[in-house]
Amino acid sequence: MILVPGTCLDRVSDFLLLNNRVILYNKWVLSPKYFNFPFPITLTMIHMGFSGMVSFLLVRVFKVVAPVKMTFEIYATCVIPISAFFASSLWFGNTAYLHISVAFIQMLKALMPVATFVMAVICGTDKLRCDVFLNMVLVSVGVVISSYGEIHFNVVGTVYQVTGIFAEALRLVLTQVLLQKKGLTLNPVTSLYYIAPCSFVFLFVPWYLLEKPGMEVSQIQFNFWIFFSNALCALALNFSIFLVIGRTGAVTIRVAGVLKDWILIALSTVIFPESAITGLNIIGYAIALCGVVMYNYIKVIDIRASNQLTPETLPERVTKEWKLDKKSSDLYPNNGNNGNGGSNNMGTGSVADSPADEETPFISASMRLSHLGRSQYSSHNA
């Protein structure tokens, strides 16, 4: 795969910027001290409903992108589980805003690389390695220290956030499988086209049981422009999530999100005065960041090692192709080696006419080009 310089970095930076906006916006909407809309499932359903509606218009009405031929097997084994964990991660994450501060939530989110790595190993998309495992342990220790120094520690909010972390980790891994392993050419629009409506359905049951009765008896203020702009930000974030995962990977995007967490911690202490942080918070999160940086270094070394060719690789490949070509010329001596007869054969036929070309789907492109070039060269000399 050849990556255009800056392409993935631009998508990651867009994701980080949008994520910061959505998190701060959701906190402001849900917090009783500000807009006072304490219904996280309802807010998440608004996001999913708006995203599904926009993606439907883009696919079916305006036909900006074409729908994918989705089989029942892929829908049942991939789309439905992804939608369930997508809805759960958003639901639990938004509920945590009612109990703990944004700064502490972002510190807990340092566990995301750990959760994603564990889920990736379980799902078979990553291998268990000792060095990476030690880095994940270091990240976990840092998060524990940071939690111990939290002033406004709340068990309910912490449980909601940690549960949402593992649900999001599994969703990220499954999304990576859907986009990269199943051979589907899903873009951000078609991804939301299939996932957002299904997530809305999953959220409807807990909303009907948990929030609908409370919404009927309480006085709810509803501002169309606030919820519309909030849903629009969430839609843009969802597009960037699927785009970044398709270009990079589940663990990579969560590791890159650590930079976003630092920015959010700083912004939340300014926007929300109750998001006070202590020295122990900073020390613990710094330890977790060290583990993440070490993980980044290991991944960079692995990528360079996999992309670098040893000096013996190219000559060995050329020698192998030359031997195969020589064997082919021995089997079919009329391919330009018998004077005018060879020239007439090459003039009236083509490489596709030779019996050996019946196996071209199983032969590499370089070998076929080598055979074609050799034949054309022999024809020209004849």
Side-chain angles (χ1 to χ4, degrees):
M1 179 183 295
I2 300 176
L3 298 179
V4 180
T7 300
C8 294
L9 293 179
D10 292 340
R11 286 177 169 82
V12 171
S13 62
D14 293 340
F15 162 75
L16 299 182
L17 181 62
L18 289 169
N19 204 317
N20 291 345
R21 292 180 179 178
V22 172
I23 289 175
L24 294 175
Y25 205 167
N26 288 348
K27 174 65 176 179
W28 183 82
V29 171
L30 294 170
S31 178
K33 297 182 179 180
Y34 300 98
F35 188 73
N36 191 21
F37 185 80
F39 300 102
I41 304 178
T42 304
L43 184 65
T44 309
M45 288 182 64
I46 293 174
H47 294 170
M48 291 297 96
F50 182 77
S51 299
M53 180 182 64
V54 172
S55 60
F56 177 83
L57 293 175
L58 293 176
V59 173
R60 293 297 182 181
V61 178
F62 299 104
K63 300 185 184 301
V64 177
V65 295
V68 178
K69 293 182 179 179
M70 184 71 63
T71 63
F72 177 78
E73 178 185 0
I74 295 178
Y75 193 87
T77 59
C78 293
V79 175
I80 292 179
I82 287 174
S83 302
F85 290 111
F86 192 24
S88 300
S89 64
L90 295 176
W91 168 21
F92 294 140
N94 287 335
T95 305
Y97 291 128
L98 300 177
H99 304 279
I100 53 181
S101 64
V102 174
F104 185 51
I105 286 176
Q106 300 314 123
M107 293 178 186
L108 289 176
K109 283 186 178 181
L111 287 173
M112 185 60 71
V114 181
T116 309
F117 175 71
V118 172
M119 294 300 175
V121 171
I122 294 175
C123 295
T125 60
D126 205 345
K127 296 181 179 179
L128 182 60
R129 296 172 47 182
C130 182
D131 51 357
V132 177
F133 178 76
L134 292 178
N135 287 338
M136 299 297 102
V137 171
L138 183 61
V139 172
S140 302
V141 171
V143 172
V144 170
I145 295 175
S146 180
S147 301
Y148 184 78
E150 174 63 18
I151 298 177
H152 306 290
F153 183 82
N154 184 281
V155 177
V156 176
T158 303
V159 171
Y160 268 114
Q161 183 59 41
V162 173
T163 305
I165 285 173
F166 278 91
E168 184 179 2
L170 189 54
R171 185 261 301 180
L172 288 171
V173 175
L174 290 177
T175 303
Q176 185 180 4
V177 171
L178 177 63
L179 294 178
Q180 297 179 353
K181 301 297 183 182
K182 294 295 183 179
L184 297 178
T185 56
L186 288 180
N187 54 53
V189 178
T190 53
S191 298
L192 284 178
Y193 174 75
Y194 291 106
I195 294 175
C198 193
S199 299
F200 182 89
V201 174
F202 274 106
L203 290 168
F204 180 81
V205 176
W207 171 80
Y208 186 84
L209 297 176
L210 300 177
E211 291 190 357
K212 184 177 181 296
M215 296 179 66
E216 293 177 347
V217 298
S218 62
Q219 297 294 329
I220 302 173
Q221 56 173 342
F222 187 88
N223 188 303
F224 172 79
W225 294 110
I226 288 180
F227 285 99
F228 174 77
S229 59
N230 184 263
L232 191 62
C233 292
L235 173 65
L237 175 60
N238 290 331
F239 281 166
S240 67
I241 288 175
F242 289 109
L243 198 62
V244 170
I245 293 175
R247 288 287 184 175
T248 58
V251 179
T252 304
I253 186 58
R254 292 316 310 170
V255 170
V258 173
L259 176 61
K260 174 263 302 180
D261 295 338
W262 275 110
I263 298 174
L264 267 178
I265 290 174
L267 289 177
S268 63
T269 57
V270 177
I271 300 176
F272 307 108
E274 67 273 12
S275 299
I277 58 176
T278 63
L280 200 56
N281 287 142
I282 298 177
I283 293 174
Y285 196 68
I287 294 174
L289 181 62
C290 290
V292 173
V293 171
M294 292 173 62
Y295 171 83
N296 275 336
Y297 177 77
I298 292 176
K299 298 300 288 185
V300 169
I301 295 298
D302 291 342
I303 293 174
R304 290 180 179 178
S306 62
N307 293 337
Q308 185 177 7
L309 294 177
T310 59
E312 294 80 15
T313 301
L314 186 57
E316 289 177 358
R317 184 178 302 176
V318 173
T319 303
K320 182 178 179 181
E321 294 181 5
W322 179 82
K323 289 181 179 179
L324 289 173
D325 289 341
K326 187 175 184 302
K327 182 178 179 181
S328 177
S329 63
D330 293 338
L331 291 175
Y332 306 101
N334 290 332
N335 289 340
N337 293 328
N338 290 337
N340 294 334
S343 177
N344 292 335
N345 289 338
M346 290 303 300
T348 57
S350 64
V351 178
D353 298 329
S354 64
D357 205 68
E358 294 176 359
E359 297 180 3
T360 49
F362 306 99
I363 302 176
S364 64
S366 60
M367 293 168 59
R368 292 199 299 271
L369 290 175
S370 176
H371 180 76
L372 178 61
R374 179 184 56 77
S375 302
Q376 291 177 347
Y377 177 78
S378 300
S379 176
H380 177 72
N381 289 340

